[in-house]
């Protein structure tokens, strides 16, 4: 296509606009503009979220509705940070405990499992692996009621332990790490073995550093899953001091939803910040993570 | 099995008995295995026993009982399953689930594919910027998105109705109407999940070797022709994967129907019905039976899709 533009120019001088049309670059520009429009449409709700959180209670209900606040105020933020009105600060602590616990335990168990199922020999290894993998075939919804009963028997209701325990291991994570360890040359393992390293030492000093790329990708998805989880925490937790952030948002919507929706918006902004930070820091890993997870078949 | 005797090279001669390693018995292999592996295996076995085997077993047992958390469970045979087939609420829930699932997946995947295709036409920095924008709803907690959209959907003074009336269209009730609520929620979920599909499909499209498109162009193929003849077949595994995952995800979607429900039963899906049976109506046996029916349906759907599109999982 660039060639056509070059040859035409030799015969008749074209204006930059004509050249742009002839060269076919205009399709790219149109695509670009369409995408720009749709990304604005995708982003539009967030603009409402952000601006509404700076409104006053009277402002947010006034008609006709306006995007921008008539008077900018931080009242809504002060409202949700006030421990007597909403337990957002405590929920922050709870969410951080549960999320970091889940991420750390999944990273450890998945990388260990990946190494063990890929490289170490013991009877029944493959049966165990396929069993672990097959548990993903049963939807969580099917386990919801009986798992609640089991947690009740274990006295883990209404505690953050009860939220954390079922997600200590991730069969998907183990599967991913196993695939990844297969890509690490076996010779590394054999050489370390001959040098007299124990299996745990090999895991700690060789496998763990080498699986870092897949672990950072896994960490993001586990973080998002644990941080945004709703159904299981809803079933397990009910005391207000124990709630995680998504649950607190729902409580706030019930409490402030009628007249103080700006408080729900302010709470929503505050709740969205941790995943946003994680996303911005690890942005590159998201796309690479999807490539690494081998989901492309 | 080939023995030494009928091996072609040995020509049937009897050879002297060679020293062969004695077959390992299981005990010996356990002794030789590293303690690290054995401790981990024991831990993972205990974990899945508590978190999977016991609950799954309990679920199956519960489906044949009548229990409300308080009285002693009573065996009722297949009555819970029989009840599901005559229970109109179950059929309504099944209908809502299927409608939501089919529309969400059909629209969601088509849109994601179109976006990925458009994004693949622009390269470099802008591709990443757009990708990040489309991915934002995915990383936002769904609870936040739901309450945000409920606010935008308000019948009077909502952002969407303000937009509609400003271009001269009639205002809509959205979530307040039994006819529209399900589709209003579907739109939120499509919006919230679109980024996942786009990122996956774009990674697939970017992986197609440029030389294939080049060759097709030289042979006179247009853009859409090379899309259907080259891109689509090559990214089929990604498409099938995303479809299988979406079916499992949409059928289990809970928050949306729990937090911003439409009036009456207009948005009560099977996921919500299971939750309400178990934790509101305290009809645990029937709830367990419904959730087992969901399991069987999802298993069937998954197997069917993998068979239909001939995808083998590589381990």
């Amino acid at each position: 296509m660039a060639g056509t533009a070059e040859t035409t120019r030799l015969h008749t001088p074209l204006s930059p606009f004509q050249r742009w049309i002839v060269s076919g670059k205009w399709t790219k520009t149109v695509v670009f503009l369409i995408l720009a429009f749709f990304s604005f449409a995708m982003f539009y709700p967030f603009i409402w979220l952000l601006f509404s959180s700076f409104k006053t209670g009277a402002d947010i209900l006034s008609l006709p509705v306006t995007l921008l606040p008539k008077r900018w105020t931080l009242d809504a933020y002060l409202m949700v940070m006030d421990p007597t009105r909403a337990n957002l600060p405590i929920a922050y602590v709870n969410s951080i405990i549960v999320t970091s616990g889940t991420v750390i335990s999944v990273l450890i168990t998945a990388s260990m499992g990946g190494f063990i199922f890929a490289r170490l020999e013991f009877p029944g290894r493959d049966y165990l692996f396929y069993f672990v993998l097959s548990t993903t075939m049963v939807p969580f919804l099917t386990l919801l009621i009986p798992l609640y009963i089991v947690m009740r028997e274990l006295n883990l209701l209404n505690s953050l332990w009860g939220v954390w325990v079922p997600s200590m291991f991730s069969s998907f994570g183990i599967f991913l790490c196993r695939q990844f360890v297969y890509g690490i040359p076996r010779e590394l393992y054999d050489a370390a073995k001959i040098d007299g390293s124990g299996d745990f030492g090999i895991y700690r000093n060789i496998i763990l550093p080498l699986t870092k790329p897949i672990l950072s990708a896994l960490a993001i998805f586990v973080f998002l899953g644990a941080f945004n989880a709703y159904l299981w925490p809803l079933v397990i937790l009910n005391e207000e001091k124990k709630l995680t952030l998504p649950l607190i948002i729902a409580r706030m919507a019930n409490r402030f939803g009628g007249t103080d929706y700006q408080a729900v918006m302010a709470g929503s902004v505050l709740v969205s910040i941790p995943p946003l930070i994680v996303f911005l820091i690890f942005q590159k890993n998201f796309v690479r993570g999807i490539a690494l997870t081998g989901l492309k078949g | 099995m080939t023995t030494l005797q009928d091996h072609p090279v040995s020509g049937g001669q009897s050879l002297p008995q060679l020293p062969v390693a004695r077959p390992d018995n299981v005990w010996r292999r356990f002794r030789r295995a590293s303690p690290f592996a054995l401790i981990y295996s024991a831990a993972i076995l205990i974990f899945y026993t508590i978190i999977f085997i016991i609950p799954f077993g309990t679920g199956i047992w519960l489906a044949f009982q009548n229990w409300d958390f308080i009285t002693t469970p009573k065996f009722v045979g297949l009555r819970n399953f029989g009840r599901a087939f005559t229970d109109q609420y179950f059929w309504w829930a099944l209908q809502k689930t299927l409608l939501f699932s089919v529309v969400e997946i059909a629209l969601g995947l088509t849109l994601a594919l179109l976006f990925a295709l458009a994004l693949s036409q622009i390269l470099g920095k802008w591709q990443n910027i757009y990708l990040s924008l489309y991915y934002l709803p995915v990383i936002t907690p769904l609870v936040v998105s739901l309450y945000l959209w409920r606010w935008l959907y308000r019948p009077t003074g909502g952002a969407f109705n303000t937009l509609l009336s400003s271009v001269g269209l009639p205002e809509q009730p959205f979530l307040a109407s039994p006819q529209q609520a399900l589709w209003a929620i579907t739109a939120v979920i499509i919006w919230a999940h679109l980024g996942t599909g786009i990122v996956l499909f774009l990674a697939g499209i970017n992986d197609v070797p440029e030389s294939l498109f080049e060759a097709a162009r030289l042979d006179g193929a247009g853009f859409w022709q090379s899309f259907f003849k080259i891109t689509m077949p090559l990214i089929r595994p990604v498409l099938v994967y995303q479809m299988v995952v979406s079916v499992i995800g949409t059928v289990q979607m809970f928050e949306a129907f729990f937090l911003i429900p439409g009036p009456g039963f207009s948005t009560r899906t099977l996921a919500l019905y299971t939750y309400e049976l178990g934790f509101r109506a305290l009809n645990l046996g029937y709830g367990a039976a419904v959730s087992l029916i969901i399991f069987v349906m999802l298993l069937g759907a998954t197997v069917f899709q993998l068979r239909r599109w001939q995808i083998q999982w590589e381990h």
Side-chain angles (χ1 to χ4, degrees):
Chain A
M1 275 186 290
T4 21
E6 288 299 310
T7 41
T8 349
R9 198 161 49 145
L10 285 178
H11 300 292
T12 46
L14 290 174
S15 72
F17 179 73
Q18 282 169 310
R19 226 182 301 152
W20 179 67
I21 294 290
V22 173
S23 68
K25 284 208 179 97
W26 65 274
T27 49
K28 303 244 151 147
T29 314
V30 169
V31 167
F32 188 85
L33 288 176
I34 291 173
L35 283 171
F37 171 76
F38 278 108
S39 52
F40 177 73
M42 293 280 287
F43 196 67
Y44 187 65
F46 290 121
I47 299 174
W48 275 91
L49 173 67
L50 200 62
F51 284 134
S52 304
S53 71
F54 292 110
K55 287 181 176 177
T56 61
D59 190 0
I60 200 162
L61 286 176
S62 68
L63 289 175
V65 66
T66 54
L67 179 59
L68 292 175
K70 291 193 188 77
R71 188 167 69 81
W72 291 75
T73 164
L74 285 173
D75 284 356
Y77 287 91
L78 297 176
M79 213 161 167
V80 293
M81 290 308 285
D82 179 2
T84 57
R85 304 197 65 178
N87 282 316
L88 200 69
I90 302 169
Y92 245 99
V93 175
N94 292 340
S95 267
I96 288 171
I97 293 173
V98 170
T99 308
S100 51
T102 306
V103 171
I104 291 168
S105 60
V106 165
L107 290 190
I108 293 173
T109 56
S111 56
M112 277 186 181
F115 169 55
I116 287 168
F117 287 121
R119 286 285 178 258
L120 301 186
E121 305 277 345
F122 58 91
R125 182 190 72 175
D126 292 343
Y127 291 113
L128 186 60
F129 175 72
Y130 287 119
F131 163 70
V132 168
L133 209 58
S134 70
T135 59
T136 52
M137 289 307 293
V138 178
F140 180 70
L141 202 58
T142 304
L143 298 176
L144 181 69
I145 294 172
L147 191 59
Y148 173 83
I149 296 170
V150 170
M151 288 291 138
R152 202 173 72 138
E153 292 300 312
L154 293 173
N155 266 324
L156 291 177
L157 289 194
N158 206 14
S159 92
L160 295 179
W161 291 97
V163 181
W164 175 58
V165 164
S167 45
M168 277 165 48
F169 285 78
S170 149
S171 37
F172 176 66
I174 293 171
F175 171 72
L176 274 186
C177 290
R178 178 175 175 264
Q179 296 290 90
F180 197 80
V181 171
Y182 273 134
I184 299 173
R186 204 194 180 93
E187 289 73 28
L188 274 179
Y189 171 75
D190 292 337
K193 198 80 192 168
I194 291 164
D195 287 347
S197 297
D199 283 329
F200 183 75
I202 296 175
Y203 161 74
R204 178 78 193 70
N205 298 321
I206 298 174
I207 302 296
L208 199 56
L210 284 176
T211 43
K212 236 181 220 158
I214 193 76
L215 289 184
S216 58
L218 182 63
I220 298 163
F221 295 112
V222 176
F223 171 88
L224 287 182
F227 190 86
N228 299 345
Y230 188 79
L231 177 55
W232 184 241
L234 172 77
V235 169
I236 288 290
L237 307 169
N238 52 52
E239 203 182 316
E240 178 122 354
K241 282 203 303 270
K242 301 269 173 64
L243 300 186
T244 55
L245 286 171
L247 293 174
I248 268 298
I249 288 290
R251 290 264 168 125
M252 285 193 328
N254 288 335
R255 189 169 310 158
F256 301 118
T259 51
D260 287 319
Y261 217 91
Q262 79 279 10
V264 183
M265 297 296 198
S268 296
V269 171
L270 293 177
V271 170
S272 308
I273 286 174
L276 193 65
I277 291 174
V278 169
F279 174 65
L280 290 178
I281 295 175
F282 296 104
Q283 208 178 6
K284 281 205 192 91
N285 296 40
F286 266 94
V287 179
R288 205 182 53 181
I290 283 165
L292 274 177
T293 49
L295 301 183
K296 291 185 287 164
Chain B
M1 204 197 264
T2 324
T3 64
L4 266 181
Q5 269 67 34
D6 46 38
H7 195 272
V9 177
S10 64
Q13 295 172 358
S14 61
L15 293 173
Q17 195 75 43
L18 293 171
V20 181
R22 261 182 301 159
D24 271 356
N25 63 30
V26 172
W27 175 238
R28 200 184 301 267
R29 284 163 63 207
F30 263 121
R31 291 272 302 275
R32 240 196 359 239
S34 71
F36 176 48
L38 294 182
I39 292 169
Y40 179 87
S41 306
I44 203 172
L45 211 54
I46 292 170
F47 174 80
Y48 278 106
T49 306
I50 295 172
I51 247 46
F52 180 79
I53 297 179
I54 293 177
F56 196 41
T58 310
I60 293 171
W61 170 80
L62 207 53
F64 296 94
Q65 314 284 325
N66 236 343
W67 193 34
D68 57 1
F69 270 131
I70 302 154
T71 57
T72 41
K74 201 173 105 225
F75 180 79
V76 291
L78 283 167
R79 216 165 67 198
N80 284 328
F81 292 98
R83 185 174 152 190
F85 286 98
T86 51
D87 173 13
Q88 60 166 339
Y89 296 110
F90 172 82
W91 288 106
W92 282 348
L94 181 64
Q95 182 207 9
K96 305 297 174 203
T97 310
L98 290 180
L99 279 176
F100 166 71
S101 194
V102 167
V103 173
E104 202 276 344
I105 292 169
L107 269 178
L109 291 193
T110 313
L111 280 175
L113 196 57
L114 284 176
F115 274 112
L117 195 61
L119 275 176
S120 70
Q121 299 301 302
I122 22 176
L123 297 170
K125 198 178 66 181
W126 280 102
Q127 194 185 54
N128 276 327
I129 291 174
Y130 279 138
L131 209 54
S132 309
L133 278 176
Y134 294 140
Y135 209 72
L136 269 186
V138 181
I139 58 162
T140 310
L142 189 56
V143 181
V144 167
S145 305
L146 291 171
Y147 282 118
L148 171 59
W149 278 72
R150 188 177 78 170
W151 182 249
L152 303 178
Y153 272 144
R154 267 182 320 152
T156 43
F160 291 140
N161 272 334
T162 314
L163 210 64
L164 281 181
S165 53
S166 73
V167 293
L169 291 167
E171 298 198 341
Q172 300 296 326
F174 295 121
L175 287 171
S177 129
Q179 283 80 40
Q180 292 179 11
L182 189 65
W183 309 120
I185 293 177
T186 310
V188 184
I189 302 302
I190 290 176
W191 173 82
H193 288 170
L194 198 58
T196 313
I198 297 178
V199 170
L200 261 177
F201 296 156
L202 185 62
I205 293 174
N206 282 347
D207 248 22
V208 178
E210 191 59 34
S211 57
L212 287 181
F213 293 119
E214 212 64 59
R217 199 157 9 186
L218 289 177
D219 288 342
F223 177 78
W224 291 107
Q225 206 175 353
S226 55
F227 171 71
F228 283 112
K229 292 278 159 65
I230 298 173
T231 314
M232 279 293 265
L234 282 174
I235 65 166
R236 200 183 63 167
V238 195
L239 280 172
V240 175
Y241 170 84
Q242 186 59 14
M243 194 176 302
V244 171
V245 169
S246 303
V247 170
I248 296 171
T250 47
V251 169
Q252 293 193 78
M253 168 52 65
F254 170 78
E255 290 102 308
F257 307 109
F258 181 68
L259 293 175
I260 55 168
F265 301 110
S266 62
T267 61
R268 189 164 81 172
T269 57
L270 282 177
L272 193 59
Y273 194 38
T274 308
Y275 173 83
E276 287 186 347
L277 285 173
F279 298 99
R280 293 274 167 83
L282 298 187
N283 198 339
L284 297 177
Y286 186 40
V290 170
S291 71
L292 274 182
I293 294 173
I294 297 174
F295 165 55
V296 172
M297 285 186 337
L298 277 180
L299 194 66
T302 306
V303 170
F304 170 79
Q305 291 176 92
L306 294 183
R307 280 267 173 82
R308 172 76 181 71
W309 288 292
Q310 303 274 314
I311 296 294
Q312 271 104 39
W313 250 220
E314 291 161 28
H315 294 308

